[in-house]
Amino acid sequence: MLELRELVKHYELVGGETVRAVDGVSLSVSAGELLALYGPSGSGKTTLLLMVAALLEPTSGSVLVDGRNISTLSERDASQYRLSELGFIRQSFDLLPGVSTLDNAVLKLLKNVPWREAHARMKPLLERLGLGKRLDQHAETLSMGERQRVMIARALSTEPRLLLADEPTGSLDTQRSHEVLGLLRELCRERGVAVVLVSHDPLAAGYADRVLALRDGRLDGHQPGGTPVQHSVG
């Protein structure tokens, strides 16, 4: 579903120094598969996600989604790709204060779907995520775990084929991290969504089908600490 071919992103700094943020990454992710990608700050994880989201142009290489090279899309087509084919859970909780849980969750869906229909579509998903009794609560009254679930609901609202998650448990305690990761894996497997999750959280490995590490812009095929990559984690 997703294939990266020798993906490269280099930055030229003042003085002629070259920063190799992503340096020849090749990998593939199938529909329904959750890939966890580890790496320290500055390893290139977020840069890689931005290229997959068509928000950053590669220096070279390609990003293929269902066989289409999205790194060559026009600005208009890239915007449509992000709207209809891609879900992106960012590190920050991009929720509007003073706005209800339900209205925050439907923001992306409203670009193509009438308000009433969007609400009807999103209520079952929010209930599935344990937010059925919080639909009318304002975003600022929600716990951190609840806010993260709203972001997951919004990312999945347009039924994307590909989901990117940038540190989705970074602000959560251990219990909430388990809950969010479990729900994310369950929902994406049911819907056949390919997931690339980047994280510092070691708990993510237990929910992933594969675990890779990114260091200095390159994949080394091992988890942090030298543990071999996990395959088919149950």
Side-chain angles (χ1 to χ4, degrees), residues 127-192:
E127 289 170 355
R128 174 75 176 279
L129 289 165
L131 295 170
K133 296 182 179 179
R134 307 287 278 166
L135 297 181
D136 297 323
Q137 298 296 311
H138 289 175
E140 61 269 25
T141 70
L142 301 178
S143 70
M144 298 297 281
E146 288 170 336
R147 295 180 193 187
Q148 188 61 280
R149 293 181 212 179
V150 177
M151 297 303 297
I152 290 172
R154 184 192 291 173
L156 293 174
S157 65
T158 56
E159 300 185 356
R161 300 284 312 283
L162 174 63
L163 181 72
L164 308 178
D166 192 359
E167 300 286 357
T169 61
S171 301
L172 307 181
D173 59 27
T174 299
Q175 179 182 345
R176 298 302 181 209
S177 294
H178 276 297
E179 291 175 358
V180 165
L181 289 166
L183 285 166
L184 187 60
R185 182 178 70 170
E186 184 179 346
L187 285 165
C188 289
R189 283 186 173 174
E190 287 179 4
R191 295 171 176 227

Side-chain angles (χ1 to χ4, degrees), residues 42-187:
S43 62
K45 303 186 308 298
T46 297
T47 298
L48 187 148
L49 289 189
L50 292 175
M51 288 190 285
V52 175
L55 289 166
L56 187 64
E57 185 177 351
T59 302
S60 63
S62 55
V63 178
L64 304 179
V65 177
D66 280 337
R68 180 177 56 155
N69 188 353
I70 63 95
S71 54
T72 62
L73 295 178
S74 66
E75 184 175 341
R76 178 178 179 180
D77 288 342
S79 178
Q80 184 60 38
Y81 156 72
R82 288 189 293 271
L83 177 63
S84 61
E85 299 178 52
L86 181 74
F88 199 164
I89 305 170
R90 296 176 179 269
Q91 291 187 40
S92 59
F93 296 142
D94 186 21
L95 301 177
L96 300 178
V99 175
S100 72
T101 294
L102 181 56
D103 283 332
N104 264 295
V106 300
L107 286 177
K108 186 178 180 183
L109 193 56
L110 285 174
K111 295 182 179 181
N112 284 326
V113 176
W115 181 87
R116 190 180 300 275
E117 181 182 343
H119 274 213
R121 281 197 202 180
M122 288 303 296
K123 283 181 180 179
L125 178 56
L126 288 167
E127 289 170 355
R128 174 75 176 279
L129 289 165
L131 295 170
K133 296 182 179 179
R134 307 287 278 166
L135 297 181
D136 297 323
Q137 298 296 311
H138 289 175
E140 61 269 25
T141 70
L142 301 178
S143 70
M144 298 297 281
E146 288 170 336
R147 295 180 193 187
Q148 188 61 280
R149 293 181 212 179
V150 177
M151 297 303 297
I152 290 172
R154 184 192 291 173
L156 293 174
S157 65
T158 56
E159 300 185 356
R161 300 284 312 283
L162 174 63
L163 181 72
L164 308 178
D166 192 359
E167 300 286 357
T169 61
S171 301
L172 307 181
D173 59 27
T174 299
Q175 179 182 345
R176 298 302 181 209
S177 294
H178 276 297
E179 291 175 358
V180 165
L181 289 166
L183 285 166
L184 187 60
R185 182 178 70 170
E186 184 179 346
L187 285 165

Side-chain angles (χ1 to χ4, degrees), residues 188-233:
C188 289
R189 283 186 173 174
E190 287 179 4
R191 295 171 176 227
V193 179
V195 184
V196 179
L197 182 155
V198 302
S199 181
H200 290 97
D201 188 350
L203 290 176
Y207 293 87
D209 299 293
R210 283 188 295 144
V211 182
L212 299 175
L214 189 69
R215 293 186 176 91
D216 299 323
R218 291 179 174 270
L219 291 178
D220 69 4
H222 289 76
Q223 293 185 51
T227 305
V229 174
Q230 295 188 25
H231 295 273
S232 300
V233 176

